[in-house]
Amino acid sequence: MASKVRRTQYVRRQLDSLRRGMAIMAGVPKTPGPGQVPPAHLRVTHQDREHVVEHVKTAYAEGRLDELEFDDRLERAMTARTHGDLMPIMKELYGTAPVPRVASAPTPTRPQGTTESNERLGAALAHMLPIVGFPILGPLLLMLTGGKTSPYIRAQAVEALNFQITVVGASILLPLTIIGTLLVPVIWVVAVVLSVVAGVSALSDGNYRYPMTIRLVK
C-alpha cells in the first residue's frame, strides 16, 4: 500500500514538473521567421527604420502622399522605437495588402563605408558646428533638415545635440561652486576634442557615442 502511494506521488510530481515546463516554454517569445509580423513591443533597428523610410519615399514619389503626409510619416518612421510604432505607417500605406518590394530597399546587412558621402558630411557637420560657435543650434539644424531624409544624419545629429545640451548645462551649473568654476574650462577643451573625434568618426561612417552624456532627445 505504501509503495502505491509513493508511486502515485512520484507520478504527480512528474506531471507538475511537466506542466511548469510547458508553461515556461509557452511564455518564451519566439523570433519571427521570414514573412512573419514581429511582436509590437520588439525594439527596432536602424535597418527596420530605413526599410519603412524607403516605402514612405516610394509612396510620396508615386503621388500617394502629399508633402505634409510625407513629412509626418517620415518623422514617425525615423523616431520609431518599437515595431508597434512602424506597423501603423505600413498599414496606412498598404492596408491589408501584401507589402511590395521597393527597388531601393537596403540590404539586410550594411557594411562599413556604404553610407553616401553627403550623409557622412552632414553627420560630421552636426559634430563640428559647435566648435565654430553653434553648440546647440548646429546639431539641431542638421537634425531638422538632413535628418528628415537620412536616418544616419539624424542619429549623429541627435547624439551631438544631446552632448552639447549636457555641456551647456554643466557650464551653467558648475560655476555655482568654486571647484566647478575651475572645471568649466577643462570641460570646454574636452568637448572640443570629443567633437573633433566624433566628426572624424562620422566621415568614416562610424557611430560615435559621447561619454557622460544625458540623452534627452530621442
Side-chain angles (χ1 to χ4, degrees):
M1 183 67 179
S3 62
K4 288 183 179 180
V5 173
R6 286 195 295 271
R7 282 198 298 270
T8 302
Q9 291 175 344
Y10 175 79
V11 171
R12 286 178 179 174
R13 286 196 298 269
Q14 293 299 315
L15 288 173
D16 290 340
S17 177
L18 181 60
R19 291 192 191 101
R20 286 194 298 270
M22 293 178 66
I24 293 173
M25 291 177 64
V28 175
K30 297 180 180 179
T31 303
Q36 292 181 335
V37 178
H41 67 275
L42 195 65
R43 289 275 185 166
V44 297
T45 63
H46 288 311
Q47 171 65 27
D48 296 322
R49 295 187 190 96
E50 290 174 0
H51 176 71
V52 175
V53 165
E54 290 297 334
H55 283 279
V56 172
K57 289 180 181 178
T58 300
Y60 179 66
E62 294 173 349
R64 293 190 284 127
L65 298 175
D66 60 30
E67 188 172 352
L68 290 177
E69 293 171 331
F70 171 71
D71 290 340
D72 172 66
R73 285 156 180 79
L74 202 61
E75 178 72 14
R76 286 161 54 194
M78 289 195 293
T79 57
R81 304 182 71 180
T82 66
H83 283 279
D85 298 325
L86 294 178
M87 290 174 185
I89 302 174
M90 299 299 284
K91 189 172 182 180
E92 290 165 4
L93 295 178
Y94 302 109
T96 58
V99 177
R101 288 181 175 271
V102 291
S104 57
T107 55
T109 57
R110 176 175 151 178
Q112 290 289 322
T114 58
T115 305
E116 294 291 337
S117 59
N118 59 332
E119 291 183 87
R120 296 197 298 270
L121 180 61
L125 282 175
H127 295 290
M128 297 290 197
L129 283 176
I131 299 176
V132 296
F134 301 96
I136 292 179
L137 184 61
L140 182 61
L141 285 176
L142 265 298
M143 184 184 75
L144 297 177
T145 55
K148 277 194 170 185
T149 55
S150 170
Y152 182 69
I153 292 179
R154 178 182 173 80
Q156 295 300 303
V158 167
E159 182 68 12
L161 179 59
N162 282 321
F163 177 66
Q164 294 304 321
I165 290 174
T166 303
V167 171
V168 171
S171 300
I172 294 173
L173 296 176
L174 285 177
L176 298 177
T177 64
I178 297 176
I179 297 177
T181 303
L182 299 175
L183 288 176
V184 169
V186 177
I187 291 176
W188 289 348
V189 172
V190 172
V192 170
V193 173
L194 292 179
S195 295
V196 172
V197 172
V200 173
S201 175
L203 289 174
S204 303
D205 198 15
N207 289 291
Y208 186 77
R209 297 276 289 179
Y210 288 97
M212 294 180 291
T213 298
I214 300 174
R215 293 176 173 83
L216 299 175
V217 183
K218 302 297 182 182

